[in-house]
């Protein structure tokens, strides 16, 4: 990413400084243990304030993702406020379209299900007969269903849903306000970055790398979502599954959840295929849908997205686990950008953490002279 003030080439003074190795006063083992404890404590603390941190970081990501549009408008002579408003509206339209697609998918399923009442009753009777084969009588099954559908159970479920709905609304409200203020402040961002670069060029370089990686990540994720959605639409249409377009749109939305999004997206079309076309068609739907989405979302996309942000596939997968724990469901969406922020702003600037950056990076610098062991790389000739 290039800021507008970086269009002209500025003279760069290259200074070579000798790095002096600093010896720690504490034993290396104790340092490692303290580092692990500090990392775990930081993640636990972050999980306690996830409802506050997650919308802020998501807002930062979205504003950075649309920044090329804002910079293009500035380059063609648009006023700063017009460019900022265009970026702001783009983010709001994206969020509105995303949540409306999710709502439309759920609403379409709710409207379609009542038409399959007889099929549902047939499935229900078949389920009772299947349970009887395992020694579960219909009376026992009905008691379990009555317990699950009791007023107390329904009230508890509704309370949980309302609580989650309130959390989601609070998240969206915070995100909306954060995006507004970030987009507004972005009008003065080039001048601020230029002044920071005069005294701390390393910080500007790290922020620039982080922004470029975030932009590539969101572009890759959106393109893969469109590809997966198109493939799902063709497959579901060929199998005769009702509401194929709805499930394709739903798959596009769930694609933003890396690695496990397809698990959420496969349930509605499989249920619809079971009611409309029978168990064989439902099984084929589940298999074909899972294969397409698993291969694209869990095998190909993490590799490409990892390359886009400069981390290995293993790092991208571990990032999903770590940030989902720290930031909740939104952490799964922001796993790679969060890892990129830690790498470019914390790990890369510290020469003593160069080995951590080497393990995380998918592109390695030319090797230096030294000795290579054979424990993890058999067959490699040692160098002296």
């Amino acid at each position: 990413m290039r800021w507008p003030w970086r269009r002209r080439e500025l003279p760069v003074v290259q200074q070579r400084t000798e790095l002096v190795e600093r010896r720690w006063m504490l034993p290396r083992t104790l340092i490692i243990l303290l580092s692990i404890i500090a990392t775990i404590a930081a993640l636990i603390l972050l999980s306690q304030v996830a409802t506050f941190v997650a919308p802020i970081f998501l807002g930062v990501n979205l504003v950075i993702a649309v920044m090329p549009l804002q910079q293009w408008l500035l380059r063609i002579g648009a006023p700063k406020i017009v460019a900022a408003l265009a970026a702001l509206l783009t983010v709001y339209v994206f969020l509105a379209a995303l949540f409306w697609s999710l709502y439309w998918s759920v609403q379409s399923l709710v409207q379609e299900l009542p038409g399959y009442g007889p099929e549902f009753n047939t499935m229900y009777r078949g389920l009772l007969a299947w349970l009887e084969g395992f020694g579960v009588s219909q009376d026992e099954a009905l008691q379990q269903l009555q317990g699950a559908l009791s007023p107390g159970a329904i009230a508890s479920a509704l309370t949980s849903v309302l609580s989650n709905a309130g959390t989601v609304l609070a998240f969206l409200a915070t995100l909306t306000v954060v995006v507004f203020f970030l987009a507004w402040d972005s009008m003065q961002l080039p001048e601020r970055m230029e002044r920071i670069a005069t005294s701390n060029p390393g910080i500007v370089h790290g922020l620039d790398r982080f922004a470029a990686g975030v932009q590539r990540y969101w572009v890759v994720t959106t393109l893969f979502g469109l590809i997966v959605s198109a493939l799902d639409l063709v497959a579901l249409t060929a199998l005769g599954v009702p509401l194929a377009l709805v499930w394709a749109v739903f798959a596009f939305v769930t694609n933003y959840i890396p690695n496990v999004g397809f698990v959420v997206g496969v349930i509605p079309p499989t249920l619809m295929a079971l009611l409309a076309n029978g168990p064989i068609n439902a099984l084929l739907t589940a298999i074909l849908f899972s294969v397409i989405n698993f291969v694209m979302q869990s095998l190909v996309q993490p590799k490409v997205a990892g390359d886009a942000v400069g981390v290995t596939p293993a790092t991208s997968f571990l990032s999903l686990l770590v940030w989902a724990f720290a930031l909740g469901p939104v952490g799964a969406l922001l796993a790679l950008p969060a890892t990129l922020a830690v790498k470019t702003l914390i790990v890369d600037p510290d020469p003593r953490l160069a080995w951590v950056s080497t393990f995380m990076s998918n592109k390695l610098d030319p090797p230096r002279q030294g000795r290579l062991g054979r424990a993890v790389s058999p067959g490699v000739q040692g160098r002296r």
Side-chain angles (χ1 to χ4, degrees):
M1 184 184 75
R2 289 185 176 273
W3 307 100
W5 54 269
R6 296 182 64 184
R7 291 199 301 265
R8 59 183 184 274
E9 294 294 334
L10 298 178
V12 179
V13 179
Q14 298 181 351
Q15 299 180 352
R16 297 183 178 180
T17 59
E18 182 180 1
L19 297 178
V20 180
E21 181 181 0
R22 298 179 180 177
R23 298 186 177 274
W24 294 88
M25 301 301 295
L26 297 176
R28 184 181 297 272
T29 303
L30 182 58
I31 294 174
I32 294 175
L33 291 176
L34 291 177
S35 300
I36 294 175
I37 293 173
T39 302
I40 295 175
L43 292 175
I44 294 175
L45 178 62
L46 192 60
S47 67
Q48 300 301 313
V49 294
T51 55
F52 172 74
V53 175
I56 294 178
F57 191 62
L58 178 57
V60 171
N61 273 259
L62 295 177
V63 172
I64 291 176
V66 299
M67 198 165 287
L69 171 63
Q70 184 176 358
Q71 294 174 349
W72 176 77
L73 291 175
L74 291 175
R75 285 197 298 269
I76 64 175
K80 291 182 178 181
I81 188 171
V82 173
L85 287 176
L88 178 65
L89 291 177
T90 301
V91 174
Y92 284 163
V93 168
F94 172 77
L95 291 174
L98 195 65
F99 284 99
W100 180 85
S101 299
L102 185 60
Y103 168 77
W104 176 62
S105 301
V106 175
Q107 184 186 40
S108 300
L109 177 61
V110 172
Q111 291 178 349
E112 188 74 12
L113 283 179
Y116 295 94
E119 291 82 359
F120 183 81
N121 291 331
T122 302
M123 287 176 52
Y124 173 73
R125 290 192 295 269
L127 178 61
L128 292 179
W130 180 72
L131 291 175
E132 285 183 352
F134 291 92
V136 180
S137 65
Q138 291 191 10
D139 293 337
E140 293 177 349
L142 289 175
Q143 289 178 358
Q144 295 294 331
L145 290 175
Q146 289 175 357
L149 299 177
S150 64
I154 294 176
S156 177
L158 288 177
T159 302
S160 177
V161 171
L162 291 177
S163 176
N164 292 333
T167 302
V168 172
L169 290 177
F171 177 87
L172 291 178
T174 305
L175 177 62
T176 301
V177 175
V178 167
V179 169
F180 174 80
F181 284 108
L182 288 176
W184 187 264
D185 288 345
S186 66
M187 289 189 294
Q188 302 297 327
L189 186 60
E191 290 79 3
R192 298 177 188 273
M193 298 300 292
E194 185 175 7
R195 292 190 178 185
I196 295 174
T198 57
S199 58
N200 297 280
I203 294 179
V204 175
H205 179 66
L207 290 173
D208 195 67
R209 290 177 57 192
F210 168 69
V214 167
Q215 292 168 1
R216 289 194 298 266
Y217 167 75
W218 285 100
V219 169
V220 168
T221 304
T222 302
L223 290 179
F224 267 90
L226 293 174
I227 295 173
V228 169
S229 179
L231 293 176
D232 289 338
L233 178 61
V234 173
L236 295 176
T237 303
L239 291 173
V241 179
L243 303 177
L245 179 60
V246 172
W247 312 134
V249 173
F250 190 68
F252 172 78
V253 175
T254 57
N255 182 74
Y256 284 99
I257 306 174
N259 297 103
V260 296
F262 77 94
V263 178
V264 180
V266 73
I267 297 176
T270 302
L271 176 61
M272 184 58 62
L274 180 62
L275 294 174
N277 303 326
I280 301 300
N281 188 268
L283 180 61
L284 292 176
T285 299
I287 293 175
L288 190 57
F289 194 96
S290 298
V291 168
I292 293 175
N293 289 264
F294 176 77
V295 170
M296 296 297 294
Q297 294 185 21
S298 299
L299 299 181
V300 180
Q301 182 175 334
K303 175 64 170 62
V304 178
D307 290 343
V309 299
V311 298
T312 63
T315 301
S316 65
F317 178 74
L318 293 176
S319 300
L320 173 66
L321 302 179
V322 171
W323 294 111
F325 165 77
L327 298 178
V330 182
L333 175 66
L334 300 174
L336 281 180
T339 300
L340 181 64
V342 173
K343 181 178 180 297
T344 56
L345 302 179
I346 299 178
V347 176
D348 290 346
D350 192 345
R352 292 170 297 183
L353 297 178
W355 63 274
V356 178
S357 180
T358 301
F359 271 110
M360 296 174 61
S361 301
N362 64 328
K363 297 180 180 179
L364 300 178
D365 295 330
R368 298 179 179 178
Q369 295 296 328
R371 299 184 63 181
L372 296 178
R374 301 183 180 221
V376 294
S377 56
V380 177
Q381 299 293 330
R383 296 182 180 176
R384 296 182 182 274

